[in-house]
Amino acid sequence: MEMTGMRLLALEDEYLIGLDLERIAEECGARSIQLTATIGELQNLISGNAEYDIAILEVQARGASSLAAAAELQRRGTPIVFTTAYDHEANGVAGFPDVPVVPKPYGKSQIVRAVASALAKSGRSPASRRDGASGEFV
Protein backbone atom coordinates (compact mmCIF):
# COMPACT_ATOMS: atom_id res chain seq x y z
CA MET A 1 0.00 0.00 0.00
CA GLU A 2 1.24 3.42 -0.84
CA MET A 3 0.72 6.59 1.21
CA THR A 4 -0.95 8.67 -1.49
CA GLY A 5 -2.50 11.81 -0.08
CA MET A 6 -1.72 10.94 3.52
CA ARG A 7 -0.59 13.35 6.23
CA LEU A 8 2.16 11.79 8.35
CA LEU A 9 3.50 12.72 11.74
CA ALA A 10 6.94 11.28 12.46
CA LEU A 11 9.27 11.25 15.45
CA GLU A 12 12.89 10.46 14.56
CA ASP A 13 15.85 11.86 16.46
CA GLU A 14 18.52 10.72 14.01
CA TYR A 15 18.81 13.34 11.26
CA LEU A 16 19.77 11.02 8.38
CA ILE A 17 17.10 8.48 9.25
CA GLY A 18 14.57 11.32 9.37
CA LEU A 19 15.62 12.44 5.89
CA ASP A 20 15.25 8.88 4.66
CA LEU A 21 11.77 8.64 6.18
CA GLU A 22 10.81 11.89 4.42
CA ARG A 23 12.11 10.45 1.14
CA ILE A 24 10.12 7.25 1.63
CA ALA A 25 6.94 9.21 2.35
CA GLU A 26 7.46 11.45 -0.66
CA GLU A 27 8.13 8.49 -2.97
CA CYS A 28 4.94 6.86 -1.68
CA GLY A 29 2.86 9.92 -2.50
CA ALA A 30 2.28 11.35 0.98
CA ARG A 31 0.68 14.79 0.92
CA SER A 32 2.78 16.00 3.86
CA ILE A 33 5.06 14.83 6.62
CA GLN A 34 5.67 16.67 9.86
CA LEU A 35 8.99 15.42 11.16
CA THR A 36 9.99 16.01 14.79
CA ALA A 37 13.17 15.09 16.63
CA THR A 38 12.12 15.42 20.29
CA ILE A 39 9.25 14.35 22.50
CA GLY A 40 8.61 18.03 23.33
CA GLU A 41 8.16 18.92 19.66
CA LEU A 42 5.92 15.90 19.21
CA GLN A 43 3.74 16.86 22.17
CA ASN A 44 3.44 20.44 20.87
CA LEU A 45 2.19 19.15 17.52
CA ILE A 46 -0.25 16.76 19.16
CA SER A 47 -1.64 19.52 21.36
CA GLY A 48 -2.40 21.56 18.24
CA ASN A 49 -5.43 20.93 16.09
CA ALA A 50 -3.62 19.37 13.15
CA GLU A 51 -4.88 15.96 12.12
CA TYR A 52 -2.72 13.17 10.79
CA ASP A 53 -3.58 10.02 8.90
CA ILE A 54 -0.80 8.05 10.58
CA ALA A 55 2.08 8.57 13.00
CA ILE A 56 5.46 6.86 12.73
CA LEU A 57 7.13 7.14 16.11
CA GLU A 58 10.51 6.12 17.38
CA VAL A 59 9.90 4.34 20.71
CA GLN A 60 12.78 6.20 22.42
CA ALA A 61 13.92 9.61 21.14
CA ARG A 62 16.95 11.15 22.82
CA GLY A 63 16.40 8.92 25.83
CA ALA A 64 12.73 9.83 26.30
CA SER A 65 9.78 7.51 25.70
CA SER A 66 7.16 8.32 23.07
CA LEU A 67 4.55 6.00 24.60
CA ALA A 68 2.44 8.72 26.29
CA ALA A 69 2.27 10.62 23.01
CA ALA A 70 1.41 7.40 21.16
CA ALA A 71 -1.43 6.72 23.59
CA GLU A 72 -2.82 10.23 23.03
CA LEU A 73 -2.64 9.82 19.26
CA GLN A 74 -4.43 6.48 19.49
CA ARG A 75 -7.09 8.04 21.72
CA ARG A 76 -7.68 10.54 18.90
CA GLY A 77 -7.98 7.72 16.37
CA THR A 78 -4.60 8.14 14.68
CA PRO A 79 -3.02 4.82 13.66
CA ILE A 80 0.56 4.33 14.93
CA VAL A 81 3.69 2.59 13.67
CA PHE A 82 6.66 2.30 16.01
CA THR A 83 10.30 2.21 14.95
CA THR A 84 13.09 1.04 17.25
CA ALA A 85 16.76 0.25 17.38
CA TYR A 86 16.26 -1.98 20.43
CA ASP A 87 15.91 -5.70 19.74
CA HIS A 88 13.67 -6.33 22.75
CA GLU A 89 11.04 -3.93 21.35
CA ALA A 90 11.07 -5.31 17.81
CA ASN A 91 8.55 -8.02 18.77
CA GLY A 92 6.08 -5.53 20.23
CA VAL A 93 5.81 -2.62 22.61
CA ALA A 94 4.19 -3.20 25.99
CA GLY A 95 0.74 -1.64 26.12
CA PHE A 96 0.45 -1.46 22.33
CA PRO A 97 -0.19 -5.05 21.24
CA ASP A 98 -1.69 -4.20 17.83
CA VAL A 99 0.85 -1.57 16.79
CA PRO A 100 3.36 -2.66 14.12
CA VAL A 101 7.02 -2.28 15.12
CA VAL A 102 9.71 -1.73 12.49
CA PRO A 103 13.25 -2.50 13.66
CA LYS A 104 16.10 -0.25 12.55
CA PRO A 105 17.69 -0.16 10.12
CA TYR A 106 14.66 -0.28 7.86
CA GLY A 107 13.86 0.35 4.24
CA LYS A 108 10.90 1.52 2.22
CA SER A 109 9.21 -1.88 2.03
CA GLN A 110 9.22 -2.35 5.82
CA ILE A 111 7.67 1.09 6.40
CA VAL A 112 5.06 0.62 3.68
CA ARG A 113 4.05 -2.80 5.08
CA ALA A 114 3.82 -1.43 8.62
CA VAL A 115 1.71 1.55 7.52
CA ALA A 116 -0.63 -0.79 5.60
CA SER A 117 -0.92 -3.03 8.66
CA ALA A 118 -1.62 -0.13 11.04
CA LEU A 119 -4.27 1.29 8.71
CA ALA A 120 -5.92 -2.11 8.25
CA LYS A 121 -6.05 -2.72 12.01
CA SER A 122 -7.57 0.71 12.55
CA GLY A 123 -10.15 0.27 9.82
CA ARG A 124 -8.86 3.39 8.08
CA SER A 125 -7.42 3.80 4.64
CA PRO A 126 -6.13 6.76 2.66
CA ALA A 127 -9.50 6.91 0.92
CA SER A 128 -11.37 7.18 4.23
CA ARG A 129 -9.16 9.90 5.70
CA ARG A 130 -10.47 13.28 6.68
CA ASP A 131 -9.79 16.06 4.18
CA GLY A 132 -9.00 19.61 5.05
CA ALA A 133 -5.36 19.87 6.11
CA SER A 134 -2.90 20.80 3.47
CA GLY A 135 0.81 20.80 3.78
CA GLU A 136 4.21 20.70 2.28
CA PHE A 137 7.12 18.52 3.16
CA VAL A 138 8.88 20.13 6.07
Side-chain angles (χ1 to χ4, degrees), residues 21-55:
L21 189 54
E22 284 184 323
R23 178 194 55 79
I24 290 169
E26 186 175 48
E27 287 177 1
C28 291
R31 181 188 334 177
S32 66
I33 180 169
Q34 182 66 56
L35 183 63
T36 64
T38 68
I39 299 298
E41 291 172 356
L42 178 64
Q43 290 171 330
N44 286 338
L45 289 170
I46 292 171
S47 67
N49 291 325
E51 294 185 22
Y52 301 96
D53 296 302
I54 192 150

PDB file of all heavy atoms in Angstrom, residues 21-55:
ATOM      1  N   LEU A  21      13.195   8.827   5.972  1.00  0.00           N
ATOM      2  CA  LEU A  21      11.769   8.644   6.175  1.00  0.00           C
ATOM      3  C   LEU A  21      10.970   9.658   5.348  1.00  0.00           C
ATOM      4  O   LEU A  21       9.951   9.316   4.740  1.00  0.00           O
ATOM      5  CB  LEU A  21      11.421   8.756   7.660  1.00  0.00           C
ATOM      6  CG  LEU A  21      10.005   8.385   8.059  1.00  0.00           C
ATOM      7  CD1 LEU A  21       9.621   6.993   7.583  1.00  0.00           C
ATOM      8  CD2 LEU A  21       9.875   8.482   9.578  1.00  0.00           C
ATOM      9  N   GLU A  22      11.447  10.884   5.286  1.00  0.00           N
ATOM     10  CA  GLU A  22      10.807  11.890   4.423  1.00  0.00           C
ATOM     11  C   GLU A  22      10.837  11.451   2.964  1.00  0.00           C
ATOM     12  O   GLU A  22       9.839  11.588   2.249  1.00  0.00           O
ATOM     13  CB  GLU A  22      11.496  13.248   4.562  1.00  0.00           C
ATOM     14  CG  GLU A  22      11.145  13.977   5.819  1.00  0.00           C
ATOM     15  CD  GLU A  22      11.770  15.358   5.867  1.00  0.00           C
ATOM     16  OE1 GLU A  22      12.915  15.523   5.393  1.00  0.00           O
ATOM     17  OE2 GLU A  22      11.106  16.272   6.363  1.00  0.00           O
ATOM     18  N   ARG A  23      11.976  10.925   2.520  1.00  0.00           N
ATOM     19  CA  ARG A  23      12.107  10.454   1.142  1.00  0.00           C
ATOM     20  C   ARG A  23      11.129   9.317   0.862  1.00  0.00           C
ATOM     21  O   ARG A  23      10.447   9.303  -0.171  1.00  0.00           O
ATOM     22  CB  ARG A  23      13.541   9.989   0.867  1.00  0.00           C
ATOM     23  CG  ARG A  23      13.738   9.430  -0.546  1.00  0.00           C
ATOM     24  CD  ARG A  23      15.050   8.671  -0.683  1.00  0.00           C
ATOM     25  NE  ARG A  23      15.229   7.600   0.273  1.00  0.00           N
ATOM     26  CZ  ARG A  23      14.677   6.384   0.181  1.00  0.00           C
ATOM     27  NH1 ARG A  23      13.868   6.092  -0.815  1.00  0.00           N
ATOM     28  NH2 ARG A  23      14.922   5.456   1.090  1.00  0.00           N
ATOM     29  N   ILE A  24      11.042   8.378   1.788  1.00  0.00           N
ATOM     30  CA  ILE A  24      10.120   7.253   1.628  1.00  0.00           C
ATOM     31  C   ILE A  24       8.681   7.771   1.492  1.00  0.00           C
ATOM     32  O   ILE A  24       7.943   7.360   0.594  1.00  0.00           O
ATOM     33  CB  ILE A  24      10.246   6.264   2.811  1.00  0.00           C
ATOM     34  CG1 ILE A  24      11.595   5.531   2.741  1.00  0.00           C
ATOM     35  CG2 ILE A  24       9.081   5.279   2.826  1.00  0.00           C
ATOM     36  CD1 ILE A  24      11.940   4.743   3.993  1.00  0.00           C
ATOM     37  N   ALA A  25       8.299   8.670   2.386  1.00  0.00           N
ATOM     38  CA  ALA A  25       6.935   9.214   2.353  1.00  0.00           C
ATOM     39  C   ALA A  25       6.669   9.928   1.034  1.00  0.00           C
ATOM     40  O   ALA A  25       5.601   9.758   0.430  1.00  0.00           O
ATOM     41  CB  ALA A  25       6.722  10.151   3.544  1.00  0.00           C
ATOM     42  N   GLU A  26       7.628  10.723   0.591  1.00  0.00           N
ATOM     43  CA  GLU A  26       7.465  11.454  -0.662  1.00  0.00           C
ATOM     44  C   GLU A  26       7.335  10.491  -1.845  1.00  0.00           C
ATOM     45  O   GLU A  26       6.452  10.654  -2.687  1.00  0.00           O
ATOM     46  CB  GLU A  26       8.641  12.397  -0.874  1.00  0.00           C
ATOM     47  CG  GLU A  26       8.479  13.289  -2.077  1.00  0.00           C
ATOM     48  CD  GLU A  26       9.606  14.293  -2.188  1.00  0.00           C
ATOM     49  OE1 GLU A  26      10.787  13.898  -2.078  1.00  0.00           O
ATOM     50  OE2 GLU A  26       9.302  15.480  -2.363  1.00  0.00           O
ATOM     51  N   GLU A  27       8.198   9.477  -1.894  1.00  0.00           N
ATOM     52  CA  GLU A  27       8.131   8.490  -2.974  1.00  0.00           C
ATOM     53  C   GLU A  27       6.809   7.739  -2.977  1.00  0.00           C
ATOM     54  O   GLU A  27       6.343   7.298  -4.029  1.00  0.00           O
ATOM     55  CB  GLU A  27       9.274   7.478  -2.852  1.00  0.00           C
ATOM     56  CG  GLU A  27      10.621   8.031  -3.222  1.00  0.00           C
ATOM     57  CD  GLU A  27      11.749   7.029  -3.014  1.00  0.00           C
ATOM     58  OE1 GLU A  27      11.483   5.878  -2.594  1.00  0.00           O
ATOM     59  OE2 GLU A  27      12.905   7.404  -3.268  1.00  0.00           O
ATOM     60  N   CYS A  28       6.204   7.582  -1.811  1.00  0.00           N
ATOM     61  CA  CYS A  28       4.939   6.855  -1.685  1.00  0.00           C
ATOM     62  C   CYS A  28       3.728   7.752  -1.860  1.00  0.00           C
ATOM     63  O   CYS A  28       2.596   7.307  -1.685  1.00  0.00           O
ATOM     64  CB  CYS A  28       4.883   6.149  -0.342  1.00  0.00           C
ATOM     65  SG  CYS A  28       6.060   4.789  -0.214  1.00  0.00           S
ATOM     66  N   GLY A  29       3.956   9.033  -2.175  1.00  0.00           N
ATOM     67  CA  GLY A  29       2.858   9.922  -2.495  1.00  0.00           C
ATOM     68  C   GLY A  29       2.206  10.637  -1.334  1.00  0.00           C
ATOM     69  O   GLY A  29       1.108  11.173  -1.468  1.00  0.00           O
ATOM     70  N   ALA A  30       2.857  10.651  -0.169  1.00  0.00           N
ATOM     71  CA  ALA A  30       2.277  11.355   0.978  1.00  0.00           C
ATOM     72  C   ALA A  30       2.065  12.825   0.643  1.00  0.00           C
ATOM     73  O   ALA A  30       2.864  13.431  -0.057  1.00  0.00           O
ATOM     74  CB  ALA A  30       3.183  11.219   2.194  1.00  0.00           C
ATOM     75  N   ARG A  31       0.977  13.377   1.133  1.00  0.00           N
ATOM     76  CA  ARG A  31       0.685  14.793   0.922  1.00  0.00           C
ATOM     77  C   ARG A  31       1.635  15.647   1.744  1.00  0.00           C
ATOM     78  O   ARG A  31       2.118  16.674   1.285  1.00  0.00           O
ATOM     79  CB  ARG A  31      -0.746  15.102   1.329  1.00  0.00           C
ATOM     80  CG  ARG A  31      -1.064  16.566   1.102  1.00  0.00           C
ATOM     81  CD  ARG A  31      -2.376  17.087   1.627  1.00  0.00           C
ATOM     82  NE  ARG A  31      -3.457  16.157   1.786  1.00  0.00           N
ATOM     83  CZ  ARG A  31      -4.619  16.498   2.296  1.00  0.00           C
ATOM     84  NH1 ARG A  31      -4.843  17.730   2.677  1.00  0.00           N
ATOM     85  NH2 ARG A  31      -5.577  15.616   2.442  1.00  0.00           N
ATOM     86  N   SER A  32       1.879  15.238   2.994  1.00  0.00           N
ATOM     87  CA  SER A  32       2.782  15.999   3.860  1.00  0.00           C
ATOM     88  C   SER A  32       3.349  15.086   4.929  1.00  0.00           C
ATOM     89  O   SER A  32       2.796  14.036   5.242  1.00  0.00           O
ATOM     90  CB  SER A  32       2.047  17.179   4.516  1.00  0.00           C
ATOM     91  OG  SER A  32       1.052  16.712   5.398  1.00  0.00           O
ATOM     92  N   ILE A  33       4.472  15.516   5.473  1.00  0.00           N
ATOM     93  CA  ILE A  33       5.059  14.830   6.617  1.00  0.00           C
ATOM     94  C   ILE A  33       5.591  15.894   7.565  1.00  0.00           C
ATOM     95  O   ILE A  33       6.304  16.801   7.156  1.00  0.00           O
ATOM     96  CB  ILE A  33       6.169  13.820   6.230  1.00  0.00           C
ATOM     97  CG1 ILE A  33       6.732  13.145   7.480  1.00  0.00           C
ATOM     98  CG2 ILE A  33       7.232  14.464   5.385  1.00  0.00           C
ATOM     99  CD1 ILE A  33       7.639  11.951   7.205  1.00  0.00           C
ATOM    100  N   GLN A  34       5.172  15.782   8.805  1.00  0.00           N
ATOM    101  CA  GLN A  34       5.668  16.666   9.861  1.00  0.00           C
ATOM    102  C   GLN A  34       6.665  15.842  10.658  1.00  0.00           C
ATOM    103  O   GLN A  34       6.287  14.923  11.358  1.00  0.00           O
ATOM    104  CB  GLN A  34       4.522  17.141  10.753  1.00  0.00           C
ATOM    105  CG  GLN A  34       4.960  18.088  11.833  1.00  0.00           C
ATOM    106  CD  GLN A  34       5.456  19.412  11.284  1.00  0.00           C
ATOM    107  OE1 GLN A  34       4.754  20.093  10.549  1.00  0.00           O
ATOM    108  NE2 GLN A  34       6.676  19.771  11.616  1.00  0.00           N
ATOM    109  N   LEU A  35       7.935  16.168  10.507  1.00  0.00           N
ATOM    110  CA  LEU A  35       8.995  15.421  11.157  1.00  0.00           C
ATOM    111  C   LEU A  35       9.452  16.160  12.405  1.00  0.00           C
ATOM    112  O   LEU A  35       9.746  17.356  12.346  1.00  0.00           O
ATOM    113  CB  LEU A  35      10.172  15.239  10.188  1.00  0.00           C
ATOM    114  CG  LEU A  35      11.355  14.417  10.687  1.00  0.00           C
ATOM    115  CD1 LEU A  35      10.944  12.982  10.986  1.00  0.00           C
ATOM    116  CD2 LEU A  35      12.469  14.442   9.652  1.00  0.00           C
ATOM    117  N   THR A  36       9.512  15.452  13.527  1.00  0.00           N
ATOM    118  CA  THR A  36       9.987  16.014  14.785  1.00  0.00           C
ATOM    119  C   THR A  36      11.150  15.179  15.282  1.00  0.00           C
ATOM    120  O   THR A  36      11.276  14.004  14.944  1.00  0.00           O
ATOM    121  CB  THR A  36       8.883  16.032  15.855  1.00  0.00           C
ATOM    122  OG1 THR A  36       8.522  14.683  16.160  1.00  0.00           O
ATOM    123  CG2 THR A  36       7.667  16.783  15.392  1.00  0.00           C
ATOM    124  N   ALA A  37      11.999  15.800  16.115  1.00  0.00           N
ATOM    125  CA  ALA A  37      13.169  15.094  16.630  1.00  0.00           C
ATOM    126  C   ALA A  37      13.112  14.875  18.133  1.00  0.00           C
ATOM    127  O   ALA A  37      13.906  14.112  18.664  1.00  0.00           O
ATOM    128  CB  ALA A  37      14.441  15.859  16.268  1.00  0.00           C
ATOM    129  N   THR A  38      12.186  15.552  18.826  1.00  0.00           N
ATOM    130  CA  THR A  38      12.118  15.423  20.285  1.00  0.00           C
ATOM    131  C   THR A  38      10.681  15.157  20.728  1.00  0.00           C
ATOM    132  O   THR A  38       9.724  15.495  20.025  1.00  0.00           O
ATOM    133  CB  THR A  38      12.604  16.700  20.997  1.00  0.00           C
ATOM    134  OG1 THR A  38      11.670  17.761  20.748  1.00  0.00           O
ATOM    135  CG2 THR A  38      14.006  17.100  20.545  1.00  0.00           C
ATOM    136  N   ILE A  39      10.559  14.606  21.920  1.00  0.00           N
ATOM    137  CA  ILE A  39       9.247  14.355  22.497  1.00  0.00           C
ATOM    138  C   ILE A  39       8.516  15.683  22.707  1.00  0.00           C
ATOM    139  O   ILE A  39       7.315  15.785  22.481  1.00  0.00           O
ATOM    140  CB  ILE A  39       9.372  13.575  23.824  1.00  0.00           C
ATOM    141  CG1 ILE A  39      10.036  12.206  23.587  1.00  0.00           C
ATOM    142  CG2 ILE A  39       8.014  13.414  24.496  1.00  0.00           C
ATOM    143  CD1 ILE A  39       9.301  11.265  22.676  1.00  0.00           C
ATOM    144  N   GLY A  40       9.228  16.716  23.134  1.00  0.00           N
ATOM    145  CA  GLY A  40       8.612  18.031  23.333  1.00  0.00           C
ATOM    146  C   GLY A  40       7.985  18.569  22.064  1.00  0.00           C
ATOM    147  O   GLY A  40       6.853  19.077  22.081  1.00  0.00           O
ATOM    148  N   GLU A  41       8.712  18.485  20.945  1.00  0.00           N
ATOM    149  CA  GLU A  41       8.163  18.924  19.660  1.00  0.00           C
ATOM    150  C   GLU A  41       6.934  18.097  19.294  1.00  0.00           C
ATOM    151  O   GLU A  41       5.932  18.631  18.816  1.00  0.00           O
ATOM    152  CB  GLU A  41       9.207  18.784  18.550  1.00  0.00           C
ATOM    153  CG  GLU A  41      10.365  19.744  18.642  1.00  0.00           C
ATOM    154  CD  GLU A  41      11.460  19.420  17.626  1.00  0.00           C
ATOM    155  OE1 GLU A  41      11.365  18.403  16.902  1.00  0.00           O
ATOM    156  OE2 GLU A  41      12.415  20.197  17.543  1.00  0.00           O
ATOM    157  N   LEU A  42       7.028  16.799  19.515  1.00  0.00           N
ATOM    158  CA  LEU A  42       5.918  15.904  19.208  1.00  0.00           C
ATOM    159  C   LEU A  42       4.685  16.282  20.024  1.00  0.00           C
ATOM    160  O   LEU A  42       3.584  16.404  19.484  1.00  0.00           O
ATOM    161  CB  LEU A  42       6.325  14.452  19.491  1.00  0.00           C
ATOM    162  CG  LEU A  42       5.250  13.393  19.273  1.00  0.00           C
ATOM    163  CD1 LEU A  42       4.844  13.316  17.808  1.00  0.00           C
ATOM    164  CD2 LEU A  42       5.746  12.040  19.774  1.00  0.00           C
ATOM    165  N   GLN A  43       4.872  16.504  21.313  1.00  0.00           N
ATOM    166  CA  GLN A  43       3.742  16.864  22.168  1.00  0.00           C
ATOM    167  C   GLN A  43       3.137  18.203  21.767  1.00  0.00           C
ATOM    168  O   GLN A  43       1.911  18.366  21.814  1.00  0.00           O
ATOM    169  CB  GLN A  43       4.181  16.867  23.635  1.00  0.00           C
ATOM    170  CG  GLN A  43       4.453  15.471  24.146  1.00  0.00           C
ATOM    171  CD  GLN A  43       5.085  15.434  25.521  1.00  0.00           C
ATOM    172  OE1 GLN A  43       5.814  16.341  25.918  1.00  0.00           O
ATOM    173  NE2 GLN A  43       4.809  14.367  26.245  1.00  0.00           N
ATOM    174  N   ASN A  44       3.969  19.159  21.348  1.00  0.00           N
ATOM    175  CA  ASN A  44       3.440  20.444  20.868  1.00  0.00           C
ATOM    176  C   ASN A  44       2.562  20.258  19.636  1.00  0.00           C
ATOM    177  O   ASN A  44       1.514  20.890  19.513  1.00  0.00           O
ATOM    178  CB  ASN A  44       4.565  21.428  20.573  1.00  0.00           C
ATOM    179  CG  ASN A  44       5.192  21.993  21.825  1.00  0.00           C
ATOM    180  OD1 ASN A  44       4.596  22.001  22.895  1.00  0.00           O
ATOM    181  ND2 ASN A  44       6.416  22.467  21.691  1.00  0.00           N
ATOM    182  N   LEU A  45       2.993  19.409  18.721  1.00  0.00           N
ATOM    183  CA  LEU A  45       2.190  19.155  17.520  1.00  0.00           C
ATOM    184  C   LEU A  45       0.889  18.445  17.861  1.00  0.00           C
ATOM    185  O   LEU A  45      -0.165  18.764  17.306  1.00  0.00           O
ATOM    186  CB  LEU A  45       2.993  18.343  16.506  1.00  0.00           C
ATOM    187  CG  LEU A  45       4.120  19.099  15.823  1.00  0.00           C
ATOM    188  CD1 LEU A  45       4.993  18.145  15.030  1.00  0.00           C
ATOM    189  CD2 LEU A  45       3.564  20.186  14.918  1.00  0.00           C
ATOM    190  N   ILE A  46       0.956  17.495  18.772  1.00  0.00           N
ATOM    191  CA  ILE A  46      -0.246  16.764  19.164  1.00  0.00           C
ATOM    192  C   ILE A  46      -1.239  17.691  19.848  1.00  0.00           C
ATOM    193  O   ILE A  46      -2.448  17.584  19.646  1.00  0.00           O
ATOM    194  CB  ILE A  46       0.111  15.567  20.066  1.00  0.00           C
ATOM    195  CG1 ILE A  46       0.887  14.516  19.255  1.00  0.00           C
ATOM    196  CG2 ILE A  46      -1.144  14.943  20.668  1.00  0.00           C
ATOM    197  CD1 ILE A  46       1.471  13.406  20.106  1.00  0.00           C
ATOM    198  N   SER A  47      -0.741  18.621  20.643  1.00  0.00           N
ATOM    199  CA  SER A  47      -1.640  19.521  21.362  1.00  0.00           C
ATOM    200  C   SER A  47      -2.308  20.537  20.431  1.00  0.00           C
ATOM    201  O   SER A  47      -3.312  21.143  20.794  1.00  0.00           O
ATOM    202  CB  SER A  47      -0.909  20.245  22.491  1.00  0.00           C
ATOM    203  OG  SER A  47       0.050  21.142  21.965  1.00  0.00           O
ATOM    204  N   GLY A  48      -1.762  20.698  19.237  1.00  0.00           N
ATOM    205  CA  GLY A  48      -2.398  21.560  18.245  1.00  0.00           C
ATOM    206  C   GLY A  48      -3.592  20.857  17.635  1.00  0.00           C
ATOM    207  O   GLY A  48      -3.943  19.732  17.996  1.00  0.00           O
ATOM    208  N   ASN A  49      -4.227  21.492  16.703  1.00  0.00           N
ATOM    209  CA  ASN A  49      -5.427  20.931  16.094  1.00  0.00           C
ATOM    210  C   ASN A  49      -5.170  20.199  14.787  1.00  0.00           C
ATOM    211  O   ASN A  49      -6.120  19.777  14.133  1.00  0.00           O
ATOM    212  CB  ASN A  49      -6.467  22.041  15.865  1.00  0.00           C
ATOM    213  CG  ASN A  49      -7.027  22.545  17.171  1.00  0.00           C
ATOM    214  OD1 ASN A  49      -7.202  21.776  18.114  1.00  0.00           O
ATOM    215  ND2 ASN A  49      -7.307  23.828  17.242  1.00  0.00           N
ATOM    216  N   ALA A  50      -3.915  20.066  14.402  1.00  0.00           N
ATOM    217  CA  ALA A  50      -3.621  19.370  13.152  1.00  0.00           C
ATOM    218  C   ALA A  50      -4.034  17.904  13.260  1.00  0.00           C
ATOM    219  O   ALA A  50      -3.928  17.298  14.325  1.00  0.00           O
ATOM    220  CB  ALA A  50      -2.137  19.477  12.829  1.00  0.00           C
ATOM    221  N   GLU A  51      -4.505  17.370  12.167  1.00  0.00           N
ATOM    222  CA  GLU A  51      -4.883  15.962  12.122  1.00  0.00           C
ATOM    223  C   GLU A  51      -3.930  15.231  11.189  1.00  0.00           C
ATOM    224  O   GLU A  51      -3.477  15.771  10.191  1.00  0.00           O
ATOM    225  CB  GLU A  51      -6.317  15.816  11.641  1.00  0.00           C
ATOM    226  CG  GLU A  51      -7.317  16.405  12.617  1.00  0.00           C
ATOM    227  CD  GLU A  51      -8.747  16.155  12.183  1.00  0.00           C
ATOM    228  OE1 GLU A  51      -8.985  15.211  11.407  1.00  0.00           O
ATOM    229  OE2 GLU A  51      -9.606  16.913  12.622  1.00  0.00           O
ATOM    230  N   TYR A  52      -3.637  13.994  11.559  1.00  0.00           N
ATOM    231  CA  TYR A  52      -2.716  13.170  10.787  1.00  0.00           C
ATOM    232  C   TYR A  52      -3.399  11.854  10.455  1.00  0.00           C
ATOM    233  O   TYR A  52      -4.207  11.343  11.226  1.00  0.00           O
ATOM    234  CB  TYR A  52      -1.430  12.915  11.588  1.00  0.00           C
ATOM    235  CG  TYR A  52      -0.737  14.209  11.962  1.00  0.00           C
ATOM    236  CD1 TYR A  52      -0.937  14.799  13.208  1.00  0.00           C
ATOM    237  CD2 TYR A  52       0.076  14.851  11.050  1.00  0.00           C
ATOM    238  CE1 TYR A  52      -0.314  16.000  13.536  1.00  0.00           C
ATOM    239  CE2 TYR A  52       0.697  16.055  11.369  1.00  0.00           C
ATOM    240  CZ  TYR A  52       0.499  16.616  12.611  1.00  0.00           C
ATOM    241  OH  TYR A  52       1.102  17.809  12.921  1.00  0.00           O
ATOM    242  N   ASP A  53      -3.028  11.299   9.311  1.00  0.00           N
ATOM    243  CA  ASP A  53      -3.579  10.016   8.903  1.00  0.00           C
ATOM    244  C   ASP A  53      -2.845   8.853   9.562  1.00  0.00           C
ATOM    245  O   ASP A  53      -3.432   7.780   9.730  1.00  0.00           O
ATOM    246  CB  ASP A  53      -3.520   9.876   7.379  1.00  0.00           C
ATOM    247  CG  ASP A  53      -4.387  10.919   6.702  1.00  0.00           C
ATOM    248  OD1 ASP A  53      -5.599  10.953   6.988  1.00  0.00           O
ATOM    249  OD2 ASP A  53      -3.848  11.724   5.923  1.00  0.00           O
ATOM    250  N   ILE A  54      -1.591   9.079   9.910  1.00  0.00           N
ATOM    251  CA  ILE A  54      -0.796   8.052  10.581  1.00  0.00           C
ATOM    252  C   ILE A  54       0.400   8.718  11.251  1.00  0.00           C
ATOM    253  O   ILE A  54       0.859   9.776  10.810  1.00  0.00           O
ATOM    254  CB  ILE A  54      -0.330   6.945   9.597  1.00  0.00           C
ATOM    255  CG1 ILE A  54       0.224   5.747  10.362  1.00  0.00           C
ATOM    256  CG2 ILE A  54       0.660   7.481   8.581  1.00  0.00           C
ATOM    257  CD1 ILE A  54       0.040   4.426   9.675  1.00  0.00           C
ATOM    258  N   ALA A  55       0.876   8.090  12.324  1.00  0.00           N
ATOM    259  CA  ALA A  55       2.080   8.565  13.004  1.00  0.00           C
ATOM    260  C   ALA A  55       3.105   7.444  13.020  1.00  0.00           C
ATOM    261  O   ALA A  55       2.775   6.292  13.311  1.00  0.00           O
ATOM    262  CB  ALA A  55       1.755   8.997  14.434  1.00  0.00           C
TER     263      ALA A  55
END
